[in-house]
Amino acid sequence: MDYTLAMYKSPDYEELAFALLLQHLVSIGYPPEILAYKYDPTFPTRGLVFDALYGNLLKVDSHGNLLVCAHGFRFLRGAEILHYYPNKFIQRDDMKRFHILNTLFNLTEAHLYACLVDFFTNCPRYINCDTGYKHGNLFMSFRSMFQDVREAMDHVHLLGCLKEKTLENLEKYVVKDPRVPLLLSRMKEVGKVFLATNSDYSYTDAIMSYLFDSTDGDKAGTAQRPWRSYFDLIVVDTRKPLFFAEGTVLRQVNTATGKLRIGTYTGPLQHCAVYSGGSSDVVCDLLGVKGKEILYMGDHIFGDILKSKKRQGWRTFLVVPELARELQVWTEKSELFEELRSLDLFLAELYQHLDSGSSERPDISSIKRRIQKVTHEMDMCYGKMGSLFRCGSRQTLFASQLMRYADLYAASFVNFLYYPFSYLFRAPPVLMAHESTVEHSRGDAGEAGAALAPWLAWHGHPSPQVRAAPQDSSGEEEDDDGEA
């Protein structure tokens, strides 16, 4: 539900969450001076990695190679990076040390780490150490700072203070889009629709009632359609990603009181009923569907997309709200990427006529400096931590996960409103490195037309607002009618 059906207004929502996090840290003993920090939406991006040993925020590619490294708000360069990471590389599977901040809720968390490191680094009361800060006989490690921030995140998000503040001013914090009820009603006409959310019923009911409230219907004298009627199945308290593994006990919710009925629910699916807990297996059983018959939409690359794909084989749709901004910059600053590509080609040409017997060694230092300059210029167009998807010509960890696990992705699920439900989404073919070195010659006009047809089928669509990730181009997705 969060960031899929219910989009939160940025940066208002992040500013609220950030202020609550600071207040909680002060309440457990952190210096009150940290309350002076304000949330800066231009600093964090999703997909960053927090190093709990050295307190650095890292941006890495799919292999763990460092793209950006920041200590607080200070970006490290050259020898400083080598001091912490001799190979400019991290072991991502070291989950106790490296923590990936992949969700939209993690934006405030990432910024908070930077603020705390910045404060303690510059505060004269504390002595800087490689793994933390010393104050008298006390030592605060970056790992303990991480634990405190995670506890604060749980307090703010799970214990309800953020939700309470949000419900007090829904117009300020929640986007109300009249297209949401329209799209869901159309979806329900052609298939089954279910809602699975980690939120409890009371919060879900308040948010969904706000999203589906139609004043136009009241003016026309017609009865307001309950939001639950738009779904065949509603499950709250899912505890994803546990929901995609063994799950929890499935219980029925008393919608009048919000309380759970005792005992495990074992009956058939009831219209407009609400359930708590359960698992993805239970959803399949209740709806009578499985595997690729389900298109699952979510905003969490790990908790929603990766787990549903690997555990159940569901088709997946990732909501990436940042995509609108990313496309805007990609379009307006296209000349920078073209310059990067030209520099790569020029670099290749320098070595074109050399082989293992050549003693000549081209001077490429000026080209490397220009590549670094253009890459930095591109990054700054997106924000202080750069693009969500790339750093120059290199893709980020988030981008690689999206390409691997999301069948479709877009800035909003509402984009489906502009496609027929029979639409066949196919991704343009992605060439491997060895394939891109060969230029296939065109035959007669008929062959050329056949070769161009897939490209025209994709790029010729009047409004490609939903994008297919490359794995959709494989034959395994075509064992049925091919419809999305």
Side-chain angles (χ1 to χ4, degrees):
M1 178 185 74
D2 296 319
Y3 285 112
T4 303
L5 286 175
M7 300 300 297
Y8 295 101
K9 295 182 180 179
S10 181
D12 293 336
Y13 186 72
E14 289 85 4
E15 290 172 352
L16 171 64
F18 185 74
L20 293 173
L21 288 169
L22 288 177
Q23 290 169 15
H24 180 75
L25 289 178
V26 171
S27 72
I28 64 172
Y30 275 70
E33 295 99 311
I34 66 173
L35 294 174
Y37 284 96
K38 304 298 179 184
Y39 179 73
D40 179 6
T42 67
F43 178 79
T45 186
R46 279 199 289 168
L48 298 179
V49 177
F50 181 71
D51 181 354
L53 179 62
Y54 295 128
N56 297 323
L57 280 172
L58 311 172
K59 189 175 182 180
V60 301
D61 66 13
S62 59
H63 304 291
N65 298 304
L66 265 62
L67 303 175
V68 178
C69 177
H71 192 72
F73 295 113
R74 189 172 67 87
F75 289 85
L76 307 186
R77 296 284 184 265
E80 290 181 302
I81 296 178
L82 292 174
H83 171 71
Y84 295 111
Y85 314 99
N87 296 315
K88 292 189 176 181
F89 170 83
I90 65 169
Q91 291 282 353
R92 286 200 300 109
D93 55 354
D94 185 356
M95 305 300 289
K96 291 183 179 180
R97 175 179 173 184
F98 299 108
H99 304 271
I100 303 175
L101 309 175
N102 259 343
T103 76
L104 288 156
F105 291 118
N106 289 141
L107 289 174
T108 50
E109 182 182 358
H111 190 248
L112 183 54
Y113 290 130
C115 292
L116 294 176
V117 171
D118 178 74
F119 172 79
F120 288 110
T121 298
N122 296 295
C123 181
R125 301 195 302 270
Y126 296 86
I127 299 174
N128 284 260
C129 305
D130 272 353
T131 59
Y133 304 98
K134 192 172 183 180
H135 178 56
N137 294 324
L138 300 176
F139 178 74
M140 182 178 68
S141 67
F142 292 116
R143 189 176 304 279
S144 66
M145 180 189 295
F146 168 79
Q147 292 170 348
D148 289 340
V149 171
R150 277 293 162 96
E151 188 273 332
M153 289 285 290
D154 290 342
H155 175 84
V156 167
H157 287 273
L158 301 181
L159 297 185
C161 59
L162 176 61
K163 293 178 179 178
E164 290 175 5
K165 295 290 185 181
T166 302
L167 296 180
E168 288 174 6
N169 198 342
L170 287 171
E171 289 187 2
K172 181 177 181 180
Y173 298 118
V174 182
V175 177
K176 187 173 184 178
D177 191 336
R179 297 175 297 174
V180 170
L182 175 61
L183 177 57
L184 285 175
S185 63
R186 290 181 180 179
M187 284 182 168
K188 200 168 186 302
E189 289 174 0
V190 299
K192 297 177 180 179
V193 183
F194 73 95
L195 172 65
T197 176
N198 283 356
S199 296
D200 58 28
Y201 176 71
S202 61
Y203 183 73
T204 301
D205 183 52
I207 292 292
M208 297 297 282
S209 297
Y210 173 72
L211 292 178
F212 287 79
D213 174 58
S214 174
T215 55
D216 293 338
D218 295 337
K219 290 179 182 179
T222 58
Q224 181 72 38
R225 180 179 174 182
W227 69 266
R228 297 195 302 273
S229 67
Y230 289 86
F231 301 93
D232 294 279
L233 172 64
I234 301 163
V235 187
V236 299
D237 304 313
T238 54
R239 295 180 61 188
K240 293 176 287 187
L242 183 65
F243 179 76
F244 294 107
E246 64 271 19
T248 57
V249 173
L250 182 71
R251 301 173 67 179
Q252 196 167 10
V253 178
N254 184 332
T255 56
T257 64
K259 295 182 178 180
L260 302 182
R261 302 183 188 277
I262 60 173
T264 302
Y265 182 78
T266 59
L269 178 64
Q270 298 181 19
H271 182 64
C272 284
V274 180
Y275 304 89
S276 172
S279 66
S280 53
D281 291 326
V282 170
V283 167
C284 292
D285 292 340
L286 287 174
L287 293 177
V289 293
K290 61 182 179 179
K292 295 177 184 178
E293 295 173 331
I294 296 177
L295 174 61
Y296 183 72
M297 306 178 192
D299 67 286
H300 194 324
I301 188 69
F302 178 78
D304 288 323
I305 304 305
L306 185 150
K307 286 297 183 180
S308 62
K309 171 67 71 176
K310 294 184 72 173
R311 167 77 180 184
Q312 293 288 357
W314 291 356
R315 294 187 178 185
T316 53
F317 176 95
L318 180 65
V319 177
V320 189
E322 302 98 326
L323 195 59
R325 170 65 178 162
E326 293 273 339
L327 280 172
Q328 179 187 356
V329 174
W330 183 253
T331 302
E332 294 176 353
K333 302 296 181 179
S334 59
E335 72 278 0
L336 291 175
F337 188 75
E338 289 302 319
E339 183 177 355
L340 266 184
R341 198 153 58 173
S342 298
L343 289 168
D344 285 335
L345 291 174
F346 183 66
L347 199 60
E349 289 173 0
L350 289 177
Y351 292 93
Q352 187 173 7
H353 302 294
L354 304 179
D355 59 21
S356 57
S358 304
S359 58
E360 180 184 350
R361 188 171 184 175
D363 183 6
I364 61 173
S365 57
S366 61
I367 301 176
K368 290 172 66 177
R369 285 195 298 270
R370 183 59 188 166
I371 289 176
Q372 291 173 351
K373 185 178 185 301
V374 174
T375 297
H376 178 71
E377 191 175 345
M378 280 185 64
D379 282 349
M380 293 303 98
C381 294
Y382 294 96
K384 294 173 183 176
M385 274 291 183
S387 166
L388 174 64
F389 299 111
R390 64 173 57 251
C391 180
S393 56
R394 298 164 67 184
Q395 289 186 343
T396 63
L397 170 61
F398 185 93
S400 66
Q401 290 178 324
L402 180 151
M403 300 288 277
R404 183 175 182 183
Y405 295 110
D407 294 311
L408 300 171
Y409 67 100
S412 169
F413 97 103
V414 175
N415 290 3
F416 270 121
L417 198 60
Y418 307 103
Y419 294 83
F421 292 120
S422 60
Y423 191 85
L424 173 62
F425 290 97
R426 284 185 61 83
V430 177
L431 297 180
M432 295 181 68
H434 70 280
E435 295 170 328
S436 64
T437 64
V438 179
E439 186 174 346
H440 287 179
S441 59
R442 297 279 170 81
D444 56 27
E447 291 176 348
L452 282 172
W455 190 92
L456 292 171
W458 173 251
H459 293 273
H461 193 278
S463 180
Q465 300 177 52
V466 177
R467 285 160 175 79
Q471 68 266 23
D472 269 11
S473 61
S474 65
E476 69 170 311
E477 292 295 321
E478 298 183 359
D479 54 2
D480 51 17
D481 59 5
E483 295 183 356

